[in-house]
Structure formats: C-alpha cells, structure tokens
Amino acid sequence: MWTCKTTQYWTVVTLAGLLAVSCAPRTATGGGTEATQAQNFSIPEYPPLYNVDVQVCGNIIAPLKDGKRCITTQLQLWGPVGEAKLVRAGVTLPSVSAVQHKVAIASKGCYPAYSQPSQEQFYWADTIIQVNRGGKTTIEVKPTQLSNQQVHELVTGRLSNSSVPTFGGVGCEPAPAS
C-alpha cells in the first residue's frame, strides 16, 4: 500500500508540473513586440564594394591550362573599379628570361585594409607576375557588386563565406600613376 500511495503522489506532482509548464506564457521568443522590432532593424547604407576577379594571361610564367598561361587573383575593392595594368617591378637582367611585374588596379582601396573607401587611384594587388621578355599579356577585370546586405554582413563579421580573398602582404598600397 505504501508503494501505491508514493506512485500516486509522484504522478500527481508530475501532472501538476506539466500543466504548469504548458499553461505558462511563452517568453522565450521575446513576444510579438520584440520580434517586430527585430524585423524592422535598419541596415545602414554602405558605399559600393565589389568582388573582383583579375586574370592575367599571356607569355608569363604560370601553369599551362587549356592551352593558356594565366594567373587569377580575387580581391574585394571599394568602387568604382577601373583599369588594371601591369607595372614592371623588377630589373631586367641579361641572364633571366622573365621580368617581374605587379598588378595595379584603379579603385578606392581594398577591403579589409581600408574599412571605408579612400581616395580613388591605383592600388597594388598583392600579385607578382613573371612576364617573359617580349611577351604579350592581357588583363581581364570582372567586378561583381555586393548587395548592401552582403556588405553589412562582411563589415559586421557575419559573412557566411569566410574564404573571401583579400589583399595580403604588401598589397593595397597606393601605386604610382605611371
């Protein structure tokens, strides 16, 4: 008889606890007012930021792929994104068949080195290209503008694609206009 009363006691306590939990107001979600405020959150307006693919092809020292020798670099640049050019950065030596070049791109700076757009001018991309003497090269620039939401996520550190390439090393320094 003792075990039966104990079992009945715990059954009543358990049922009372379940009833109390199921009838309690739901505050875990913050209520309708807070959810509405979160939906009305305003994202600030950001300046244009671009994912930029830069491809240099031609008579360069690079792996041969599909019959072409190319080096591709991906950057994030404050816009507008303009002309890209190869600038000789090395000394021509008689015993060496290639000359070192660097890529310069007209923009307002790169992200994250510049958290906001800077002066519009040429900036060095952290890319060294070995161009064979007398070699012809082409540079192709493909900018894709990020949406204001994507820029917000990037700036606030919530961008889901953490592999976004950026300038590194000595890149993103202002380049001479010549």
Side-chain angles (χ1 to χ4, degrees), residues 37-51:
Q37 289 174 350
Q39 290 174 350
N40 292 336
F41 173 71
S42 178
I43 296 174
E45 195 64 33
Y46 290 96
L49 183 64
Y50 295 82
N51 280 337

Side-chain angles (χ1 to χ4, degrees), residues 5-133:
K5 285 186 178 182
T6 304
T7 305
Q8 289 175 347
Y9 173 76
W10 285 112
T11 304
V12 170
V13 170
T14 304
L15 286 174
L18 289 173
L19 183 62
V21 169
S22 67
C23 292
R26 295 184 183 192
T27 57
T29 60
T33 307
E34 290 177 24
T36 304
Q37 289 174 350
Q39 290 174 350
N40 292 336
F41 173 71
S42 178
I43 296 174
E45 195 64 33
Y46 290 96
L49 183 64
Y50 295 82
N51 280 337
V52 181
D53 292 324
V54 180
Q55 186 176 52
V56 179
C57 296
N59 192 4
I60 61 175
I61 297 177
L64 186 63
K65 184 176 179 182
D66 299 327
K68 294 169 49 176
R69 295 189 186 280
C70 297
I71 293 177
T72 302
T73 303
Q74 296 175 330
L75 312 166
Q76 287 185 320
L77 301 173
W78 293 109
V81 176
E83 173 190 3
K85 61 184 178 179
L86 277 178
V87 179
R88 186 168 54 197
V91 179
T92 306
L93 299 173
S95 60
V96 180
S97 65
V99 178
Q100 187 175 16
H101 286 70
K102 291 172 67 175
V103 177
I105 301 175
S107 69
K108 289 189 175 183
C110 59
Y111 185 83
Y114 291 86
S115 61
Q116 291 290 319
S118 187
Q119 179 180 346
E120 189 169 340
Q121 62 186 14
F122 279 95
Y123 290 89
W124 291 121
D126 193 24
T127 303
I128 304 292
I129 309 285
Q130 298 292 334
V131 179
N132 290 315
R133 269 191 234 176

